[in-house]
Amino acid sequence: KDMGGSLGPGRSRLQLQLQSAAITKYVADVLPGKNQRAVSMASAARELVIQRLSLVRSLCESEEQRLLEQVHGEEERAHQSILTQRVHWAEALQKLDTIRTSLVGMLTHLDDLQLIQKEQEIFERTEEAEGILDPQESEMLNFNEKCTRSPLLTRLWATAVLGSLSGTEDILIDERTVSPFLQLSDDRKTLTFSTKKSKTCADGPERFDHWPNALAATSFQNGLHAWMVNVQNSCAYKVGVASGHLPRKGSGSDCRLGHNAFSWVFSRYDQEFRFSHNGQHEPLGLLRGPAQLGVLLDLQARELLFYEPASGTVLYTHHGSFPGPLFPVFAVADQTISIVR
């Protein structure tokens, strides 16, 4: 009985010694190794960040230099073309003045017989004057804005703007414009298509009464704007911008997004993707539908861009003049789409 009592505390002391030895070994052998590996991995991680950002920075600087040189070259070309035209038409004016002076002199100082004798010369001088045509507008005299377009710059720019939702607009849908074939969520960000026309939807001048369209409550007249739309649940939708002059009533093409001069949209119908404006539909060779669709509107640069954030792919870019104000616009004919915030 006494031996049993003495074994209990002895075993406990032994366990404590073993546990203490294990902790001592862990602190002495394992933690320093862990610490060294952490320091080494942190150093490698810092190096990776520096290397990758240095590469991006180098690419950006190289592309900036290339594009600035291209802009300068285009400016010089347009300037030289204008100077050349100026010299040409100055010479033409001088030539016309010489011909006019010569003809006036003949008509003033020669008698009828002399005029008959000079008929051929008068004809040639007149024909020479007629050969100097009036100036015609030429694209060669204009600065070509396409010189600034760069796939690399466009992708980096779109990624920078849409890569962080903090830089996008807080877009809400104007419930007064929502088609009776659409249901609007309480937060005014989700549109759901319904085959049955809502009877509780009061009609008004702002509401689309046939096509399943809706406008945002916010309009843009200048500056840079961006927003994101979740489209992964729908196989039939349109996303883009529209002028406030877009008609709302009836089934005609003047109210159908992309079929008139008032709307610019990216659209999907099953596996068919396209950009549409003013009845012109440009097919887009996409192999799959984007889960999210980013929209960038740069009114100063007169540019509308559609972007897939998941892959960093620019799906389509439209350049042209936009009559303001412009509203984000949406259409849904299958399931739902949602504005992402």
Side-chain angles (χ1 to χ4, degrees):
K1 186 173 182 179
D2 292 339
M3 289 178 64
S6 63
L7 285 174
R11 185 180 296 112
S12 295
R13 285 195 298 272
L14 179 60
Q15 287 175 344
L16 289 173
Q17 288 174 351
L18 291 173
Q19 187 176 2
S20 178
I23 292 173
T24 301
K25 181 177 175 58
Y26 182 81
V27 170
D29 298 339
V30 177
L31 286 184
K34 290 279 189 184
N35 186 65
Q36 185 60 39
R37 282 193 292 274
V39 171
S40 177
M41 292 180 70
S43 177
R46 278 191 290 269
E47 186 64 27
L48 179 63
V49 170
I50 292 171
Q51 285 180 355
R52 290 188 173 179
L53 286 177
S54 293
L55 176 60
V56 172
R57 191 178 300 110
S58 176
L59 287 173
C60 288
E61 290 173 352
S62 296
E63 190 68 355
E64 178 185 25
Q65 185 62 31
R66 186 186 72 83
L67 288 173
L68 290 177
E69 289 176 359
Q70 198 159 300
V71 168
H72 178 71
E74 178 61 17
E75 180 185 27
E76 286 294 307
R77 184 208 58 77
H79 179 65
Q80 190 59 48
S81 295
I82 293 169
L83 287 179
T84 301
Q85 286 281 289
R86 189 184 299 277
V87 170
H88 169 76
W89 292 113
E91 292 175 351
L93 281 174
Q94 185 176 9
K95 191 173 183 180
L96 281 173
D97 187 61
T98 300
I99 294 172
R100 183 184 63 81
T101 301
S102 173
L103 289 174
V104 169
M106 288 183 187
L107 294 173
T108 303
H109 300 103
L110 298 181
D111 57 29
D112 291 345
L113 179 59
Q114 290 173 320
L115 285 174
I116 292 174
Q117 292 173 342
K118 293 283 187 177
E119 181 179 8
Q120 182 62 32
E121 183 180 347
I122 294 172
F123 173 77
E124 290 174 355
R125 300 290 280 171
T126 303
E127 193 175 53
E128 185 180 1
E130 291 175 351
I132 302 174
L133 302 177
D134 292 337
Q136 299 295 320
E137 179 60 38
S138 170
E139 285 298 319
M140 292 295 294
L141 302 179
N142 299 330
F143 180 87
N144 183 5
E145 294 176 312
K146 291 181 180 179
C147 68
T148 63
R149 296 178 191 173
S150 157
L152 174 62
L153 176 59
T154 300
R155 284 197 302 272
L156 290 174
W157 175 72
T159 301
V161 175
L162 282 170
S164 171
L165 286 178
S166 62
T168 62
E169 309 285 340
D170 185 18
I171 304 294
L172 298 177
I173 293 170
D174 186 348
E175 55 191 346
R176 300 173 303 169
T177 68
V178 177
S179 162
F181 290 101
L182 298 176
Q183 295 177 0
L184 180 63
S185 62
D186 291 339
D187 64 359
R188 295 169 59 193
K189 289 181 178 292
T190 300
L191 291 167
T192 303
F193 177 71
S194 174
T195 56
K196 294 184 179 179
K197 192 173 185 178
S198 172
K199 295 181 180 178
T200 62
C201 193
D203 194 18
E206 297 90 356
R207 193 175 306 283
F208 295 95
D209 65 357
H210 179 82
W211 298 107
N213 302 341
L215 287 176
T218 306
S219 65
F220 308 122
Q221 291 185 295
N222 49 57
L224 172 63
H225 307 276
W227 58 98
M228 201 97 71
V229 186
N230 189 333
V231 294
Q232 62 183 341
N233 296 324
S234 180
C235 289
Y237 62 83
K238 294 179 181 179
V239 173
V241 295
S243 164
H245 299 298
L246 177 68
R248 318 291 172 88
K249 306 302 182 183
S251 59
S253 293
D254 57 340
C255 304
R256 191 177 181 187
L257 299 186
H259 289 254
N260 49 66
F262 307 110
S263 53
W264 299 257
V265 292
F266 175 99
S267 67
R268 175 181 181 178
Y269 291 99
D270 293 328
Q271 295 306 308
E272 180 181 301
F273 304 89
R274 61 189 187 181
F275 172 78
S276 300
H277 169 61
N278 203 21
Q280 302 295 315
H281 311 288
E282 186 166 345
L284 307 178
L286 305 185
L287 298 178
R288 58 175 178 78
Q292 290 187 338
L293 186 64
V295 185
L296 277 76
L297 176 65
D298 190 341
L299 288 166
Q300 180 178 354
R302 298 179 299 172
E303 182 172 278
L304 175 65
L305 182 147
F306 298 95
Y307 177 83
E308 184 185 25
S311 64
T313 302
V314 176
L315 303 175
Y316 188 81
T317 305
H318 172 77
H319 298 89
S321 298
F322 299 99
L326 290 181
F327 294 81
V329 69
F330 314 88
V332 195
D334 172 63
Q335 300 297 321
T336 68
I337 64 172
S338 301
I339 302 169
V340 178
R341 178 61 179 167

